[in-house]
Coordinates of all heavy atoms in Angstrom, one line a residue:
M17 N 0.9 -1.2 -0.1 CA 0.0 0.1 -0.1 C 0.8 1.2 0.0 O 1.8 1.2 0.8 CB -0.9 -0.1 1.3 CG -1.8 1.2 1.4 SD -2.9 1.1 2.7 CE -1.9 1.2 4.1
R18 N 0.5 2.2 -0.9 CA 1.4 3.4 -0.9 C 0.3 4.6 -1.1 O -0.5 4.5 -2.0 CB 2.4 3.4 -1.8 CG 2.0 3.1 -3.3 CD 3.3 3.0 -4.1 NE 2.9 2.3 -5.4 CZ 2.9 3.0 -6.5 NH1 3.1 4.3 -6.6 NH2 2.5 2.4 -7.6
P19 N 0.6 5.7 -0.5 CA -0.2 6.9 -0.8 C 0.2 7.6 -2.1 O 1.3 7.4 -2.4 CB 0.2 8.0 0.3 CG 1.0 7.1 1.3 CD 1.5 5.8 0.7
E20 N -0.8 8.0 -2.9 CA -0.5 8.6 -4.2 C -1.2 9.9 -4.1 O -2.3 10.1 -4.5 CB -1.1 7.8 -5.4 CG -0.3 6.6 -5.6 CD -0.8 5.8 -6.8 OE1 -1.9 6.1 -7.3 OE2 0.0 5.1 -7.3
G21 N -0.6 10.9 -3.5 CA -1.1 12.4 -3.3 C -1.8 12.2 -2.0 O -1.8 11.4 -1.1
D22 N -2.5 13.4 -1.7 CA -3.2 13.7 -0.5 C -4.4 12.7 -0.3 O -4.7 12.3 0.9 CB -3.6 15.1 -0.3 CG -2.4 16.0 -0.3 OD1 -1.3 15.5 0.2 OD2 -2.4 17.3 -0.4
A23 N -5.1 12.4 -1.3 CA -6.4 11.7 -1.3 C -6.4 10.5 -1.9 O -7.5 9.9 -2.3 CB -7.5 12.7 -1.8
R24 N -5.4 9.8 -2.3 CA -5.4 8.6 -3.0 C -4.5 7.5 -2.4 O -3.3 7.9 -2.1 CB -5.1 8.9 -4.6 CG -5.3 7.6 -5.4 CD -5.1 8.1 -6.9 NE -5.3 6.8 -7.6 CZ -6.3 6.7 -8.5 NH1 -7.2 7.8 -8.7 NH2 -6.4 5.7 -9.3
L25 N -5.0 6.4 -2.4 CA -4.2 5.2 -1.8 C -4.2 4.1 -2.8 O -5.2 3.8 -3.2 CB -4.9 4.9 -0.4 CG -4.2 3.8 0.4 CD1 -2.8 4.1 0.9 CD2 -5.2 3.4 1.5
R26 N -2.9 3.6 -3.1 CA -3.0 2.4 -4.0 C -2.6 1.3 -3.3 O -1.6 1.2 -2.6 CB -1.8 2.7 -5.1 CG -1.7 1.5 -6.0 CD -0.9 2.0 -7.2 NE -0.5 0.8 -8.0 CZ -1.1 0.2 -8.9 NH1 -2.4 0.6 -9.2 NH2 -0.6 -0.9 -9.5
V27 N -3.4 0.2 -3.3 CA -3.3 -1.0 -2.7 C -2.7 -2.0 -3.5 O -3.2 -2.2 -4.7 CB -4.5 -1.7 -2.1 CG1 -4.3 -2.8 -1.3 CG2 -5.2 -0.6 -1.0
E28 N -1.6 -2.7 -3.2 CA -0.9 -3.6 -4.0 C -0.6 -5.0 -3.4 O -0.6 -5.0 -2.1 CB 0.5 -3.1 -4.5 CG 0.3 -1.8 -5.3 CD 1.7 -1.1 -5.4 OE1 2.7 -1.2 -4.6 OE2 1.8 -0.5 -6.6
G29 N -0.5 -6.0 -4.2 CA -0.3 -7.3 -3.7 C -1.5 -8.1 -3.1 O -2.6 -7.9 -3.7
D30 N -1.3 -8.9 -2.1 CA -2.5 -9.7 -1.6 C -3.3 -9.0 -0.4 O -2.6 -8.3 0.4 CB -1.9 -11.0 -1.0 CG -1.4 -11.9 -2.1 OD1 -1.5 -11.6 -3.3 OD2 -0.7 -12.9 -1.7
L31 N -4.5 -9.1 -0.5 CA -5.3 -8.8 0.6 C -6.0 -10.0 1.2 O -6.9 -10.6 0.7 CB -6.6 -7.9 0.0 CG -6.3 -6.6 -0.2 CD1 -7.6 -5.8 -0.7 CD2 -5.7 -5.6 0.9
S32 N -5.2 -10.4 2.3 CA -5.5 -11.7 2.9 C -5.6 -11.6 4.3 O -5.2 -10.6 5.0 CB -4.5 -12.7 2.5 OG -3.3 -12.4 3.1
F33 N -5.9 -12.7 5.1 CA -6.0 -12.7 6.5 C -4.7 -12.3 7.1 O -4.6 -11.6 8.2 CB -6.2 -14.1 6.9 CG -6.3 -14.3 8.4 CD1 -7.4 -14.0 9.2 CD2 -5.1 -15.0 9.1 CE1 -7.4 -14.1 10.6 CE2 -5.2 -15.1 10.5 CZ -6.3 -14.8 11.1
Y34 N -3.5 -12.5 6.4 CA -2.3 -12.3 6.8 C -1.8 -10.7 6.7 O -1.1 -10.1 7.5 CB -1.2 -13.1 6.4 CG -1.4 -14.5 6.6 CD1 -1.9 -15.4 5.8 CD2 -1.2 -15.1 8.0 CE1 -2.3 -16.7 6.1 CE2 -1.5 -16.3 8.3 CZ -1.9 -17.3 7.4 OH -2.2 -18.5 7.6
S35 N -2.2 -10.1 5.6 CA -1.8 -8.7 5.3 C -2.7 -7.7 5.8 O -2.5 -6.5 5.9 CB -1.7 -8.7 3.8 OG -2.9 -8.9 3.1
V36 N -4.1 -8.0 6.0 CA -5.1 -7.0 6.3 C -4.8 -6.3 7.7 O -4.9 -5.0 7.7 CB -6.5 -7.7 6.4 CG1 -7.5 -6.9 7.2 CG2 -6.9 -7.9 4.9
P37 N -4.2 -6.8 8.7 CA -4.1 -6.1 9.9 C -3.0 -4.9 9.7 O -3.3 -3.8 10.2 CB -3.6 -7.1 10.9 CG -4.1 -8.4 10.6 CD -4.1 -8.2 8.9
A38 N -2.0 -5.2 9.1 CA -0.9 -4.2 8.8 C -1.5 -3.0 7.9 O -1.2 -2.0 8.1 CB 0.3 -4.8 8.2
L39 N -2.3 -3.6 6.9 CA -2.9 -2.4 5.9 C -3.9 -1.6 6.8 O -3.9 -0.3 6.4 CB -3.6 -3.1 4.8 CG -2.7 -3.9 3.9 CD1 -3.5 -4.6 2.8 CD2 -1.8 -2.8 3.0
Q40 N -4.7 -2.1 7.6 CA -5.6 -1.4 8.4 C -4.7 -0.3 9.3 O -5.2 0.8 9.3 CB -6.3 -2.2 9.4 CG -7.4 -1.6 10.3 CD -8.4 -0.8 9.4 OE1 -8.7 -1.2 8.2 NE2 -9.1 0.1 10.0
E41 N -3.6 -0.7 9.8 CA -2.9 0.2 10.7 C -2.2 1.3 9.8 O -2.1 2.4 10.3 CB -1.7 -0.7 11.4 CG -1.3 0.0 12.6 CD -0.3 -1.0 13.3 OE1 -0.8 -2.0 13.8 OE2 0.9 -0.7 13.5
Q42 N -1.7 0.9 8.7 CA -1.1 1.9 7.8 C -2.0 2.8 7.3 O -1.8 4.0 7.0 CB -0.5 1.2 6.7 CG 0.7 0.3 7.0 CD 1.4 -0.5 5.8 OE1 0.7 -0.5 4.7 NE2 2.3 -1.3 6.0
A43 N -3.3 2.4 7.0 CA -4.3 3.4 6.5 C -4.9 4.3 7.5 O -5.4 5.4 7.0 CB -5.5 2.6 5.8
A44 N -4.9 4.0 8.8 CA -5.4 4.9 9.7 C -5.1 6.4 9.7 O -5.9 7.2 9.5 CB -5.3 4.3 11.0
P45 N -3.8 6.7 9.6 CA -3.3 8.1 9.5 C -3.9 8.7 8.1 O -4.2 9.9 8.2 CB -1.9 8.1 9.7 CG -1.3 6.6 9.8 CD -2.6 5.8 9.7
L46 N -3.8 7.9 7.1 CA -4.4 8.5 5.9 C -5.9 8.9 5.9 O -6.2 9.9 5.3 CB -4.1 7.6 4.7 CG -2.5 7.3 4.5 CD1 -2.5 6.1 3.5 CD2 -1.9 8.4 4.0
F47 N -6.6 8.0 6.5 CA -8.0 8.3 6.7 C -8.2 9.5 7.6 O -9.1 10.3 7.3 CB -8.7 7.2 7.2 CG -9.2 6.0 6.3 CD1 -8.3 5.2 5.7 CD2 -10.6 6.0 5.9 CE1 -8.8 4.4 4.7 CE2 -11.0 5.1 5.0 CZ -10.0 4.3 4.4
A48 N -7.4 9.8 8.6 CA -7.5 10.8 9.4 C -7.2 12.2 8.7 O -7.8 13.2 9.0 CB -6.8 10.6 10.7
A49 N -6.2 12.2 7.8 CA -5.6 13.3 7.3 C -6.4 13.8 6.0 O -6.5 14.8 5.8 CB -4.1 13.1 6.9
A50 N -6.9 12.9 5.3 CA -7.5 13.2 4.0 C -8.9 13.8 4.1 O -9.6 13.2 5.0 CB -7.5 12.2 3.1
A51 N -9.3 14.8 3.4 CA -10.6 15.2 3.4 C -11.7 14.2 2.6 O -12.8 14.2 3.1 CB -10.7 16.6 2.7
E52 N -11.1 13.6 1.6 CA -11.8 12.5 1.0 C -10.7 11.5 0.7 O -9.6 11.8 0.5 CB -12.6 13.0 -0.2 CG -11.6 13.7 -1.2 CD -12.4 14.2 -2.3 OE1 -13.6 14.7 -2.1 OE2 -11.9 14.2 -3.5
L53 N -11.1 10.3 0.3 CA -10.2 9.2 0.0 C -10.6 8.4 -1.3 O -11.8 7.9 -1.2 CB -9.8 8.4 1.2 CG -8.6 7.5 1.1 CD1 -7.3 8.3 0.9 CD2 -8.4 6.8 2.3
D54 N -9.8 8.1 -2.2 CA -9.9 7.1 -3.2 C -8.9 6.0 -2.9 O -7.6 6.3 -2.7 CB -9.6 7.8 -4.5 CG -10.6 8.7 -5.0 OD1 -11.7 8.8 -4.5 OD2 -10.4 9.6 -6.1
V55 N -9.3 4.9 -3.0 CA -8.5 3.6 -2.9 C -8.4 2.9 -4.1 O -9.5 2.4 -4.5 CB -9.1 2.8 -1.8 CG1 -8.2 1.6 -1.6 CG2 -9.2 3.6 -0.3
D56 N -7.3 2.9 -4.7 CA -7.1 2.2 -6.0 C -6.7 0.8 -5.8 O -5.7 0.6 -5.1 CB -6.0 3.0 -6.8 CG -5.8 2.4 -8.3 OD1 -6.4 1.3 -8.4 OD2 -4.9 2.9 -8.9
L57 N -7.5 -0.1 -6.2 CA -7.2 -1.5 -5.9 C -6.8 -2.3 -7.1 O -6.7 -3.6 -7.2 CB -8.7 -2.3 -5.6 CG -9.3 -1.6 -4.3 CD1 -10.7 -2.1 -4.1 CD2 -8.5 -2.1 -3.1
S58 N -6.4 -1.4 -8.2 CA -5.8 -2.1 -9.4 C -4.6 -3.0 -9.1 O -4.3 -3.9 -10.0 CB -5.7 -1.1 -10.5 OG -4.8 -0.2 -10.2
G59 N -3.9 -2.7 -8.1 CA -2.7 -3.4 -7.8 C -2.9 -4.7 -7.0 O -1.9 -5.4 -6.7
V60 N -4.1 -5.0 -6.6 CA -4.3 -6.3 -5.9 C -4.3 -7.4 -6.8 O -5.0 -7.5 -7.7 CB -5.8 -6.1 -5.2 CG1 -6.0 -7.5 -4.5 CG2 -5.8 -5.0 -4.1
E61 N -3.4 -8.3 -6.2 CA -3.1 -9.5 -7.1 C -4.0 -10.7 -6.7 O -4.5 -11.6 -7.5 CB -1.7 -10.0 -7.0 CG -0.8 -8.9 -7.6 CD 0.7 -9.2 -7.2 OE1 1.0 -10.3 -6.7 OE2 1.6 -8.4 -7.5
R62 N -4.4 -10.7 -5.4 CA -5.2 -11.8 -4.9 C -6.0 -11.3 -3.6 O -5.3 -10.5 -2.9 CB -4.4 -13.1 -4.6 CG -5.1 -14.3 -4.2 CD -4.1 -15.5 -3.9 NE -3.4 -15.2 -2.8 CZ -3.7 -15.5 -1.4 NH1 -4.9 -15.8 -1.2 NH2 -3.0 -15.2 -0.5
A63 N -7.2 -11.8 -3.5 CA -7.9 -11.3 -2.2 C -8.7 -12.4 -1.7 O -9.1 -13.2 -2.6 CB -8.7 -10.1 -2.6
D64 N -9.0 -12.4 -0.5 CA -9.9 -13.3 0.2 C -10.9 -12.7 0.9 O -11.1 -11.4 0.8 CB -9.2 -14.4 1.0 CG -8.5 -13.9 2.1 OD1 -8.7 -12.7 2.7 OD2 -7.5 -14.6 2.6
S65 N -11.8 -13.2 1.7 CA -12.9 -12.5 2.5 C -12.3 -11.5 3.4 O -12.9 -10.5 3.7 CB -13.8 -13.6 3.2 OG -12.9 -14.5 4.1
A66 N -11.0 -11.7 3.9 CA -10.5 -10.7 4.8 C -10.2 -9.4 4.2 O -10.3 -8.3 4.6 CB -9.2 -11.2 5.4
G67 N -9.9 -9.6 2.8 CA -9.7 -8.3 2.0 C -10.9 -7.5 1.8 O -10.9 -6.4 2.0
L68 N -12.1 -8.3 1.7 CA -13.3 -7.6 1.6 C -13.8 -7.0 3.0 O -14.3 -5.9 3.1 CB -14.4 -8.5 1.0 CG -14.6 -8.5 -0.4 CD1 -15.6 -9.8 -0.9 CD2 -15.2 -7.2 -0.9
A69 N -13.5 -7.7 3.9 CA -13.7 -7.2 5.4 C -13.0 -5.9 5.6 O -13.6 -5.0 6.2 CB -13.3 -8.2 6.4
L70 N -11.8 -5.8 5.1 CA -11.0 -4.5 5.3 C -11.8 -3.3 4.5 O -11.9 -2.3 5.0 CB -9.7 -4.8 4.6 CG -8.8 -3.6 4.6 CD1 -8.4 -3.1 6.1 CD2 -7.5 -3.9 3.9
L71 N -12.2 -3.7 3.2 CA -12.8 -2.7 2.6 C -14.1 -2.1 3.2 O -14.4 -1.0 3.3 CB -13.2 -3.2 1.2 CG -12.1 -3.6 0.2 CD1 -12.5 -4.0 -1.1 CD2 -11.1 -2.5 0.2
I72 N -14.9 -3.1 3.9 CA -16.1 -2.7 4.7 C -15.6 -1.9 5.8 O -16.3 -0.9 6.2 CB -16.8 -4.0 5.1 CG1 -17.5 -4.7 3.9 CG2 -17.9 -3.7 6.1 CD1 -18.0 -6.1 4.1
E73 N -14.5 -2.3 6.5 CA -14.1 -1.6 7.8 C -13.7 -0.1 7.3 O -13.9 0.9 8.0 CB -12.9 -2.3 8.3 CG -12.4 -1.5 9.5 CD -13.4 -1.3 10.6 OE1 -14.3 -2.0 10.9 OE2 -13.3 -0.2 11.3
W74 N -13.0 0.0 6.1 CA -12.6 1.4 5.6 C -13.9 2.2 5.3 O -14.0 3.3 5.5 CB -11.7 1.3 4.4 CG -10.3 0.9 4.6 CD1 -9.6 0.8 5.9 CD2 -9.4 0.5 3.7 NE1 -8.4 0.5 5.8 CE2 -8.2 0.2 4.5 CE3 -9.3 0.2 2.3 CZ2 -6.9 -0.2 3.9 CZ3 -8.1 -0.1 1.8 CH2 -7.0 -0.4 2.6
M75 N -14.9 1.6 4.7 CA -16.1 2.2 4.5 C -16.7 2.7 5.7 O -17.2 3.9 5.8 CB -17.0 1.3 3.7 CG -18.4 2.0 3.3 SD -19.5 0.9 2.4 CE -20.1 -0.1 3.7
R76 N -16.8 1.9 6.8 CA -17.3 2.3 8.1 C -16.5 3.6 8.8 O -17.1 4.5 9.3 CB -17.3 1.2 9.0 CG -18.4 0.1 8.8 CD -18.3 -0.9 9.8 NE -19.2 -2.0 9.4 CZ -19.0 -3.3 9.7 NH1 -17.9 -3.6 10.3 NH2 -19.8 -4.1 9.4
E77 N -15.1 3.4 8.5 CA -14.4 4.4 9.1 C -14.6 5.8 8.4 O -14.6 6.9 9.0 CB -12.9 4.1 9.0 CG -11.8 5.0 9.6 CD -11.9 5.2 10.9 OE1 -12.6 4.4 11.7 OE2 -11.2 6.1 11.6
A78 N -14.6 5.7 7.0 CA -15.0 6.9 6.3 C -16.3 7.6 6.7 O -16.4 8.8 6.9 CB -14.9 6.7 4.8
R79 N -17.3 6.7 6.9 CA -18.5 7.3 7.4 C -18.4 7.9 8.8 O -19.0 8.8 9.0 CB -19.6 6.2 7.4 CG -20.2 5.8 6.1 CD -21.4 4.9 6.3 NE -21.7 4.6 4.8 CZ -22.5 3.5 4.6 NH1 -22.7 2.6 5.5 NH2 -22.8 3.2 3.3
R80 N -17.6 7.1 9.7 CA -17.5 7.7 11.0 C -16.8 9.0 11.0 O -17.3 10.0 11.8 CB -16.6 6.7 11.8 CG -16.5 7.0 13.3 CD -15.6 6.2 14.1 NE -14.2 6.2 13.8 CZ -13.4 7.3 14.2 NH1 -14.0 8.2 15.0 NH2 -12.2 7.4 13.8
L81 N -15.9 9.2 10.1 CA -15.2 10.5 9.9 C -15.9 11.5 9.1 O -15.5 12.5 8.9 CB -13.8 10.2 9.4 CG -12.9 9.5 10.4 CD1 -11.6 9.0 9.5 CD2 -12.5 10.2 11.7
D82 N -17.1 11.1 8.6 CA -17.8 11.8 7.6 C -17.0 12.3 6.3 O -17.0 13.5 6.1 CB -18.3 13.0 8.3 CG -19.5 13.7 7.5 OD1 -20.2 13.1 6.8 OD2 -19.8 14.9 7.6
K83 N -16.3 11.5 5.7 CA -15.4 11.7 4.6 C -15.9 10.7 3.5 O -16.1 9.7 3.6 CB -13.9 11.3 4.9 CG -13.5 12.3 6.1 CD -12.0 12.0 6.4 CE -11.5 13.0 7.5 NZ -10.1 12.9 7.6
P84 N -15.8 11.3 2.3 CA -16.2 10.4 1.0 C -15.0 9.4 0.8 O -13.9 9.7 1.0 CB -16.3 11.5 -0.1 CG -16.4 12.8 0.6 CD -15.7 12.7 1.9
L85 N -15.5 8.3 0.3 CA -14.5 7.2 0.0 C -15.0 6.5 -1.2 O -16.2 6.3 -1.4 CB -14.6 6.1 1.1 CG -13.8 4.8 0.8 CD1 -12.3 5.0 0.9 CD2 -14.3 3.7 1.8
R86 N -14.0 6.3 -2.1 CA -14.3 5.6 -3.4 C -13.4 4.5 -3.5 O -12.1 4.7 -3.2 CB -14.2 6.6 -4.6 CG -15.3 7.6 -4.7 CD -15.3 8.3 -6.1 NE -13.8 8.6 -6.5 CZ -13.6 8.8 -7.7 NH1 -14.6 8.9 -8.7 NH2 -12.3 9.3 -8.1
L87 N -13.9 3.2 -3.9 CA -13.0 2.1 -4.1 C -12.9 2.0 -5.6 O -14.0 1.8 -6.3 CB -13.6 1.0 -3.4 CG -13.9 1.0 -1.9 CD1 -14.7 -0.2 -1.4 CD2 -12.5 1.1 -1.1
L88 N -11.7 2.3 -6.1 CA -11.5 2.3 -7.5 C -10.9 1.1 -8.1 O -10.0 0.4 -7.5 CB -10.6 3.4 -7.9 CG -11.0 4.7 -7.5 CD1 -9.9 5.8 -7.7 CD2 -12.3 5.3 -8.2
N89 N -11.4 0.6 -9.3 CA -10.7 -0.5 -10.0 C -10.5 -1.8 -9.3 O -9.6 -2.4 -9.3 CB -9.2 0.1 -10.5 CG -9.4 1.3 -11.2 OD1 -10.1 1.5 -12.0 ND2 -8.5 2.2 -10.8
M90 N -11.7 -2.3 -8.7 CA -11.6 -3.5 -8.0 C -11.4 -4.7 -9.0 O -12.0 -4.6 -10.0 CB -13.1 -3.8 -7.2 CG -13.0 -5.1 -6.5 SD -14.5 -5.3 -5.6 CE -14.2 -4.3 -4.1
P91 N -10.3 -5.5 -8.6 CA -10.1 -6.7 -9.6 C -11.3 -7.5 -9.8 O -12.1 -7.7 -8.8 CB -8.9 -7.3 -8.9 CG -8.3 -6.4 -8.1 CD -9.4 -5.4 -7.6
A92 N -11.4 -8.3 -10.9 CA -12.6 -9.1 -11.1 C -12.6 -10.1 -10.1 O -13.8 -10.4 -9.7 CB -12.4 -9.8 -12.6
Q93 N -11.6 -10.8 -9.5 CA -11.7 -11.9 -8.6 C -12.3 -11.3 -7.4 O -13.3 -11.9 -6.7 CB -10.3 -12.3 -8.3 CG -10.3 -13.6 -7.3 CD -9.5 -13.3 -6.1 OE1 -8.7 -12.2 -6.0 NE2 -9.5 -14.2 -5.1
M94 N -11.9 -10.2 -6.9 CA -12.6 -9.5 -5.8 C -13.9 -9.2 -5.9 O -14.8 -9.3 -5.1 CB -11.7 -8.2 -5.3 CG -11.3 -8.2 -4.0 SD -10.3 -6.7 -3.7 CE -10.7 -6.4 -2.1
L95 N -14.3 -8.6 -7.2 CA -15.7 -8.2 -7.4 C -16.5 -9.5 -7.4 O -17.7 -9.3 -7.0 CB -15.7 -7.5 -8.8 CG -17.0 -6.9 -9.2 CD1 -17.3 -5.9 -8.1 CD2 -16.8 -6.2 -10.4
D96 N -16.1 -10.6 -7.8 CA -16.8 -11.8 -7.8 C -17.2 -12.2 -6.4 O -18.4 -12.6 -6.1 CB -16.1 -12.9 -8.5 CG -16.1 -12.9 -10.0 OD1 -16.7 -12.0 -10.6 OD2 -15.2 -13.5 -10.6
I97 N -16.3 -12.1 -5.4 CA -16.5 -12.4 -4.1 C -17.5 -11.4 -3.5 O -18.4 -11.8 -2.8 CB -15.3 -12.3 -3.2 CG1 -14.1 -13.4 -3.8 CG2 -15.5 -12.5 -1.8 CD1 -12.8 -13.3 -3.1
A98 N -17.4 -10.2 -3.9 CA -18.2 -9.2 -3.5 C -19.8 -9.4 -4.0 O -20.8 -9.3 -3.2 CB -17.9 -7.8 -3.8
R99 N -19.9 -9.8 -5.2 CA -21.2 -10.1 -5.7 C -22.0 -11.2 -5.1 O -23.1 -11.1 -4.9 CB -21.0 -10.4 -7.2 CG -20.8 -9.1 -8.0 CD -20.8 -9.4 -9.5 NE -20.6 -8.1 -10.2 CZ -19.8 -8.0 -11.3 NH1 -19.0 -8.9 -11.6 NH2 -19.7 -6.8 -11.8
V100 N -21.1 -12.3 -4.8 CA -21.8 -13.5 -4.1 C -22.4 -13.1 -2.9 O -23.4 -13.7 -2.5 CB -20.6 -14.5 -3.9 CG1 -21.1 -15.7 -3.0 CG2 -20.2 -15.2 -5.3
S101 N -21.8 -12.2 -2.2 CA -22.2 -11.7 -0.8 C -23.1 -10.5 -0.9 O -23.5 -10.0 0.1 CB -21.1 -11.6 0.2 OG -20.2 -10.7 -0.3
S102 N -23.4 -10.0 -2.1 CA -24.2 -8.7 -2.4 C -23.5 -7.5 -1.8 O -24.1 -6.5 -1.7 CB -25.5 -8.9 -1.8 OG -26.4 -10.0 -2.4
L103 N -22.2 -7.5 -1.5 CA -21.4 -6.4 -1.1 C -21.3 -5.4 -2.2 O -21.0 -4.2 -1.9 CB -20.1 -6.8 -0.4 CG -20.3 -7.6 0.8 CD1 -18.9 -8.1 1.3 CD2 -20.9 -6.7 1.9
D104 N -21.3 -6.0 -3.3 CA -21.1 -4.9 -4.5 C -22.2 -3.9 -4.6 O -22.1 -2.8 -5.1 CB -21.1 -5.8 -5.9 CG -22.2 -6.4 -6.2 OD1 -23.0 -7.0 -5.2 OD2 -22.8 -6.5 -7.3
E105 N -23.3 -4.2 -3.8 CA -24.4 -3.3 -3.7 C -24.2 -2.1 -2.7 O -24.9 -1.1 -2.8 CB -25.8 -3.9 -3.5 CG -26.1 -4.8 -4.7 CD -27.3 -5.7 -4.3 OE1 -28.1 -5.3 -3.5 OE2 -27.6 -6.7 -5.1
I106 N -23.4 -2.3 -1.8 CA -23.2 -1.3 -0.7 C -21.7 -0.7 -0.8 O -21.7 0.4 -0.2 CB -23.4 -1.9 0.6 CG1 -22.5 -3.1 1.0 CG2 -24.8 -2.4 0.8 CD1 -22.5 -3.4 2.5
L107 N -20.7 -1.5 -1.2 CA -19.5 -0.8 -1.4 C -19.6 0.5 -2.4 O -20.1 0.3 -3.4 CB -18.5 -1.8 -1.8 CG -18.1 -2.9 -0.8 CD1 -17.3 -4.1 -1.5 CD2 -17.5 -2.4 0.4
P108 N -18.7 1.5 -2.1 CA -18.7 2.7 -3.1 C -17.7 2.4 -4.0 O -16.6 2.9 -4.2 CB -18.1 3.6 -2.1 CG -17.3 3.0 -1.0 CD -18.0 1.6 -0.9
L109 N -18.1 1.5 -5.0 CA -17.2 1.1 -6.2 C -17.1 2.2 -7.3 O -18.4 2.7 -7.6 CB -17.7 -0.2 -6.6 CG -17.6 -1.4 -5.7 CD1 -18.2 -2.7 -6.3 CD2 -16.2 -1.7 -5.3
A110 N -16.1 2.4 -7.9 CA -16.0 3.2 -9.2 C -14.9 2.8 -10.0 O -14.0 2.1 -9.5 CB -15.8 4.7 -8.6
R111 N -15.0 3.2 -11.2 CA -13.9 2.9 -12.1 C -13.1 4.2 -12.3 O -13.6 5.3 -12.3 CB -14.4 2.5 -13.5 CG -15.1 1.2 -13.5 CD -14.5 0.0 -13.2 NE -13.5 -0.5 -14.2 CZ -12.5 -1.3 -13.9 NH1 -12.5 -1.8 -12.8 NH2 -11.6 -1.7 -14.8
D112 N -11.8 4.0 -12.7 CA -10.8 5.2 -12.8 C -10.4 5.3 -14.2 O -10.0 4.3 -14.7 CB -9.8 5.0 -11.7 CG -8.9 6.2 -11.7 OD1 -9.3 7.3 -11.8 OD2 -7.7 6.0 -11.5

């Protein structure tokens, strides 16, 4: 994960049970500092349910902080998991 400007975060690699806790911790200061946040998921190579749980947590955090959040470029594999659980209907998905 790496910041790309003040309001953009690029997530890369795996979003799994093992990587999610560190990503959550790294993202906290970015959520606090940005007025709005775009999360670019195009660099995600593999994701499991923990990765989707992270996105839901980020969505909750953005709502708690009253900040707009957009999840950009979700990979097809991740989108398939979201569709199975109907999360694609509530996540703030967008194309970049």
Side-chain angles (χ1 to χ4, degrees):
M17 178 173 69
R18 62 185 161 101
E20 291 186 337
D22 292 340
R24 190 172 180 113
L25 177 65
R26 181 171 164 82
V27 180
E28 299 174 326
D30 291 349
L31 280 180
S32 68
F33 178 77
Y34 299 105
S35 64
V36 163
L39 290 171
Q40 179 66 20
E41 199 172 303
Q42 292 171 3
L46 298 169
F47 273 75
E52 60 185 34
L53 195 60
D54 289 342
V55 178
D56 183 356
L57 300 166
S58 63
V60 173
E61 297 170 8
R62 190 178 64 82
D64 60 21
S65 59
L68 270 171
L70 176 65
L71 300 183
I72 292 167
E73 181 57 33
W74 284 349
M75 185 178 73
R76 287 180 184 148
E77 182 66 6
R79 281 190 183 152
R80 187 184 72 76
L81 296 170
D82 196 28
K83 296 180 180 189
L85 170 71
R86 292 188 317 157
L87 302 173
L88 305 171
N89 308 314
M90 182 179 278
Q93 181 238 355
M94 229 178 147
L95 189 54
D96 288 343
I97 296 170
R99 283 186 180 130
V100 166
S101 55
S102 298
L103 292 173
D104 61 319
E105 296 176 15
I106 62 166
L107 290 170
L109 302 175
R111 297 294 293 163
D112 187 34

